[in-house]
Amino acid sequence: MAATLRDVAQRAQVSVRTVSNVVSGYQHVSEQMRRRVHAAIEELDYRPNPVAQTLRTGRTGVLALVVPEIDVPYFAELAREVIDAAAAVGYRVMIDQTGHDHERERRLLTGADRTMLFDGVLFSPLVTRAEVLEMNLSSTMPLVLLGEHEFDGRYDHVAIDNVRAAQDATDHLIGLGRSRIAAIGAQPEENYATPQQRTAGYERALRAAGLEPRRDYLQPAAHYRRADGYHAARELLALPDRPDAIFCYSDLLAMGAMRAVFDAGLEVPDDVAIVGVDDIEEGRYSRPTLSTVSLDTPFIAQHAVARITTRITDPDTPAAELTAPHTVLARESTEHPAG
Amino acid sequence: MAATLRDVAQRAQVSVRTVSNVVSGYQHVSEQMRRRVHAAIEELDYRPNPVAQTLRTGRTGVLALVVPEIDVPYFAELAREVIDAAAAVGYRVMIDQTGHDHERERRLLTGADRTMLFDGVLFSPLVTRAEVLEMNLSSTMPLVLLGEHEFDGRYDHVAIDNVRAAQDATDHLIGLGRSRIAAIGAQPEENYATPQQRTAGYERALRAAGLEPRRDYLQPAAHYRRADGYHAARELLALPDRPDAIFCYSDLLAMGAMRAVFDAGLEVPDDVAIVGVDDIEEGRYSRPTLSTVSLDTPFIAQHAVARITTRITDPDTPAAELTAPHTVLARESTEHPAG
């Protein structure tokens, strides 16, 4: 049986209130009382009830990081950065995964789901633009949104310039002299912000180079995983005039696409150059290594944690829109290794 | 301002106790009262305080999954399986990462860290054998241990037969006719169970085939990540009689090792055959695809969740030791593709 506050009081021969005052760090307790209570706590191996402590302080010291899929490497790597950034300011982070459950995301974003005990939430949602506009996000739970969404400046939000990132990736392929440039990752029916912004940047770059976007070069992907990239690339490679370059909206899509190119008996980058987005570690070891748009994930993590701690202290602080830097990294999947 | 229990009581013209009874699902409330309270709750958009609810029920409906590093794909994939298995029995899972912080692990395992609010903990620790023996694990927090450790049957524990898995992987390389078989992943100084068991299985397989284990073929790895595998493989490839096969104690080590082989101008599997452990998704798309020991992760997740829910309901249930199946999957990194 775990010792209770009452057991400690009995052993120390003081009142329960005195034990409670000592445990919660209340100042006006005599040194003698304090020592007596501490001795009893050690003898009985008493551990304060965390629920009761939370009620007293109103703070848990815990942030939630909510991501769609924890086994997508980008989210796992983001999680690691957020954990480090939060630890530096004394917070722990627990990770929650929504899957592709929109209702669950909606409940979390609107504050309808209050089963968890946190001081604040860092949220990377998959919601659609229409859903965001409909939402009336909770004002009671401090919230910072991550990722490429359009939130009309109503909420703290940290993300890259998504249109520009897609444009830069496509420009990189154009700069290699490729002209039949396809894209994998569109989701035209669902009206998500991320794919729409990336398609916009891709098409803008093509038009600026005098290339007309082709409908058959724009391949949808239900999710941004390896299997989706593999199947989309197979569709592209089966076209009569197959592309000589592919811009993939995530590195994981690009990993699947590279494998599809090899399985078709073709080479990357000779036959098809490939560039992704995210700069996950896998792409630094793959064969060939993967060219990608590197997001400044430490920047995203540090600024997200700074915003949430500010918002926890001052709930009325105005919402901030922060743009993280990005860079195109040219690796073997678009350029031959030196030598 | 968020509505309180008191606001609801006032609006419904009932006592605070009646509102509390309705909110907590207490049976003995008249249907009329219930309807009146629910109407007031909707009008005021009242949301019950989760801390107060936890105090009432003594349950949070939340399990913690504690892993060393969330951006190691095996742990991320395990997390996804655990989340699915827990959801099937009505539990949510929050993921916590200990990093390589042994003191943090010790505090969690001994119950000294009680800042979190969970009904139970699924724990995949990195602790050493000596540390486990020293431990007096908390009896107040339901706990199930995951992964290849030796816990003397004192705790619920789900894992593969680690010695046997390593032996099977090495046998696979021997079966290819390779005779200079190295291993990457030993950690001789730290006395961890996982590497020791894998080294034992590796050496057992070699001896059974009449091959003497060589000290210079046993490469340590500080962590089980791509960079560790890369550097360890470079050491092996620099030997005068370099190995013709490598057993890596994790797939991530194997990914780094494969890249080191290519960077040395050699081919996998022609010059060096490589096999890993874990069967992460990355190895099904890499070039070449990675031969591996596949752990039955859904088995591990489902049995771990079943044990923890049993233990939450009945804390005195005897500890169970469950062994998950494993299989060697031969892919391109050890065998040439057909055709």
Side-chain angles (χ1 to χ4, degrees):
Chain A
M1 269 302 289
T4 65
L5 214 60
R6 196 175 302 274
D7 299 333
V8 175
Q10 212 155 41
R11 172 71 60 112
Q13 293 182 293
V14 300
S15 71
V16 169
R17 174 169 293 273
T18 301
V19 177
S20 174
N21 283 344
V22 170
V23 168
S24 62
Y26 183 65
Q27 294 301 312
H28 306 285
V29 181
S30 77
E31 191 49 37
Q32 193 203 344
M33 280 292 183
R34 198 184 304 278
R35 252 186 275 122
R36 216 199 281 174
V37 170
H38 276 299
I41 284 174
E42 280 195 20
E43 278 170 49
L44 296 172
D45 192 26
Y46 166 73
R47 280 154 194 168
N49 180 333
V51 176
Q53 277 185 324
T54 299
L55 276 178
R56 262 196 309 275
T57 64
R59 294 276 169 86
T60 61
V62 179
L63 302 175
L65 171 66
V66 183
V67 297
E69 297 179 295
I70 193 58
D71 63 336
V72 163
Y74 175 72
F75 291 120
E77 295 181 12
L78 173 67
R80 194 183 176 100
E81 294 288 348
V82 167
I83 288 166
D84 289 347
V89 294
Y91 272 94
R92 283 180 71 179
V93 177
M94 298 296 297
I95 306 159
D96 193 10
Q97 168 184 283
T98 56
H100 287 275
D101 185 341
H102 283 254
E103 177 54 24
R104 173 115 171 253
E105 288 203 335
R106 200 193 55 76
R107 287 175 52 81
L108 279 162
L109 278 177
T110 56
D113 186 338
R114 289 280 300 277
T115 56
M116 306 301 298
L117 305 168
F118 301 114
D119 296 343
V121 176
L122 305 174
F123 200 154
S124 181
L126 279 179
V127 287
T128 64
R129 190 185 307 227
E131 285 170 321
V132 170
L133 293 176
E134 273 171 19
M135 275 177 191
N136 179 19
L137 298 199
S138 164
S139 57
T140 54
M141 174 64 84
L143 179 71
V144 171
L145 294 160
L146 307 176
E148 295 68 48
H149 299 276
E150 291 170 0
F151 293 112
D152 311 321
R154 283 184 292 167
Y155 313 106
D156 285 321
H157 180 214
V158 188
I160 59 165
D161 179 341
N162 208 22
V163 176
R164 184 79 222 180
Q167 196 177 344
D168 291 349
T170 311
D171 276 343
H172 173 62
L173 297 172
I174 293 166
L176 304 171
R178 308 288 165 130
S179 58
R180 299 192 311 279
I181 301 171
I184 295 177
Q187 288 168 321
E189 287 174 34
E190 292 261 8
N191 201 23
Y192 287 104
T194 298
Q196 286 195 344
Q197 290 168 358
R198 293 197 179 165
T199 300
Y202 158 74
E203 293 186 342
R204 189 186 292 177
L206 290 182
R207 289 207 174 92
L211 299 167
E212 192 52 37
R214 291 170 51 159
R215 203 161 187 85
D216 58 344
Y217 276 7
L218 190 64
Q219 272 292 322
H223 299 301
Y224 279 13
R225 300 182 69 106
R226 296 175 187 89
D228 304 288
Y230 187 87
H231 294 296
R234 277 171 62 110
E235 295 290 323
L236 290 171
L237 297 172
L239 291 174
D241 49 345
R242 61 158 202 260
D244 58 10
I246 306 177
F247 164 43
C248 296
Y249 294 4
S250 86
D251 281 357
L252 226 45
L253 284 173
M255 290 299 164
M258 288 213 290
R259 185 70 213 188
V261 172
F262 308 140
D263 286 353
L266 301 169
E267 284 297 327
V268 176
D270 302 61
D271 300 302
V272 185
I274 293 185
V275 63
V277 180
D278 288 339
D279 190 20
I280 61 174
E281 191 181 279
E282 182 176 345
R284 294 168 222 159
Y285 288 83
S286 60
R287 187 195 196 193
T289 53
L290 181 65
S291 298
T292 188
V293 181
S294 176
L295 323 184
D296 192 336
T297 308
F299 176 103
I300 295 173
Q302 283 156 26
H303 283 80
V305 168
R307 281 311 297 168
I308 199 82
T309 52
T310 301
R311 185 154 296 284
I312 288 166
T313 320
D314 174 14
D316 297 324
T317 186
E321 184 82 26
L322 298 168
T323 303
H326 69 264
T327 343
V328 175
L329 299 179
R331 298 205 189 104
E332 295 166 1
S333 70
T334 56
E335 294 182 349
H336 282 281
Chain B
M1 270 299 288
T4 66
L5 215 60
R6 197 175 302 277
D7 298 333
V8 175
Q10 213 155 39
R11 172 71 61 114
Q13 292 182 294
V14 299
S15 71
V16 168
R17 174 170 291 274
T18 301
V19 176
S20 174
N21 284 342
V22 170
V23 167
S24 61
Y26 183 64
Q27 294 300 310
H28 305 286
V29 181
S30 77
E31 192 48 40
Q32 194 203 345
M33 281 293 183
R34 199 183 304 278
R35 253 186 273 123
R36 216 199 278 174
V37 170
H38 276 299
I41 285 175
E42 279 195 20
E43 278 170 48
L44 296 172
D45 194 26
Y46 167 72
R47 280 153 195 172
N49 180 333
V51 176
Q53 276 185 325
T54 298
L55 278 177
R56 260 197 309 276
T57 64
R59 295 277 170 84
T60 61
V62 179
L63 301 175
L65 171 66
V66 183
V67 296
E69 296 178 297
I70 193 58
D71 62 337
V72 164
Y74 175 71
F75 292 120
E77 295 180 13
L78 173 68
R80 194 183 176 100
E81 294 287 348
V82 167
I83 288 166
D84 288 347
V89 294
Y91 273 95
R92 283 178 71 176
V93 176
M94 298 297 296
I95 306 159
D96 193 11
Q97 169 184 285
T98 57
H100 288 273
D101 185 342
H102 282 255
E103 176 55 22
R104 173 111 171 256
E105 286 203 338
R106 201 193 55 74
R107 288 174 51 80
L108 278 164
L109 278 177
T110 57
D113 185 339
R114 290 280 301 276
T115 56
M116 305 301 298
L117 305 169
F118 302 115
D119 296 342
V121 176
L122 305 175
F123 201 156
S124 181
L126 278 180
V127 288
T128 65
R129 192 185 309 230
E131 285 170 320
V132 170
L133 292 176
E134 274 172 17
M135 273 177 191
N136 178 18
L137 298 198
S138 165
S139 57
T140 55
M141 174 64 84
L143 179 70
V144 172
L145 295 160
L146 306 177
E148 296 68 49
H149 300 276
E150 291 169 0
F151 294 112
D152 310 321
R154 284 184 292 166
Y155 313 106
D156 285 320
H157 180 212
V158 188
I160 59 165
D161 179 342
N162 208 22
V163 177
R164 184 79 222 183
Q167 197 176 343
D168 291 349
T170 312
D171 277 341
H172 174 62
L173 298 172
I174 294 166
L176 304 171
R178 308 288 165 129
S179 58
R180 302 192 308 280
I181 302 172
I184 295 177
Q187 288 168 322
E189 288 175 34
E190 292 261 7
N191 199 23
Y192 288 104
T194 297
Q196 284 194 346
Q197 291 169 357
R198 294 197 179 166
T199 300
Y202 157 73
E203 293 185 343
R204 188 184 295 178
L206 290 182
R207 291 205 174 92
L211 299 166
E212 194 51 38
R214 292 171 49 160
R215 204 160 187 85
D216 58 344
Y217 276 6
L218 191 63
Q219 271 293 320
H223 299 301
Y224 280 14
R225 300 182 68 107
R226 295 177 188 88
D228 304 287
Y230 187 87
H231 294 296
R234 277 169 63 110
E235 296 292 323
L236 290 171
L237 297 172
L239 291 174
D241 49 347
R242 62 158 202 260
D244 58 10
I246 307 176
F247 164 43
C248 296
Y249 294 5
S250 85
D251 280 358
L252 225 47
L253 285 173
M255 290 298 163
M258 288 214 289
R259 185 70 213 186
V261 172
F262 309 139
D263 286 354
L266 301 170
E267 284 299 327
V268 176
D270 303 59
D271 301 302
V272 186
I274 293 185
V275 64
V277 179
D278 287 341
D279 190 20
I280 60 174
E281 190 181 281
E282 182 176 347
R284 294 169 222 159
Y285 289 84
S286 61
R287 186 194 195 193
T289 53
L290 181 66
S291 298
T292 188
V293 181
S294 176
L295 323 183
D296 192 335
T297 309
F299 177 104
I300 295 172
Q302 282 156 25
H303 283 81
V305 168
R307 281 311 299 167
I308 198 82
T309 52
T310 301
R311 187 156 296 284
I312 289 166
T313 320
D314 174 14
D316 297 325
T317 187
E321 184 81 26
L322 297 169
T323 304
H326 69 263
T327 341
V328 175
L329 299 179
R331 298 205 189 106
E332 296 166 3
S333 69
T334 57
E335 295 184 346
H336 282 283

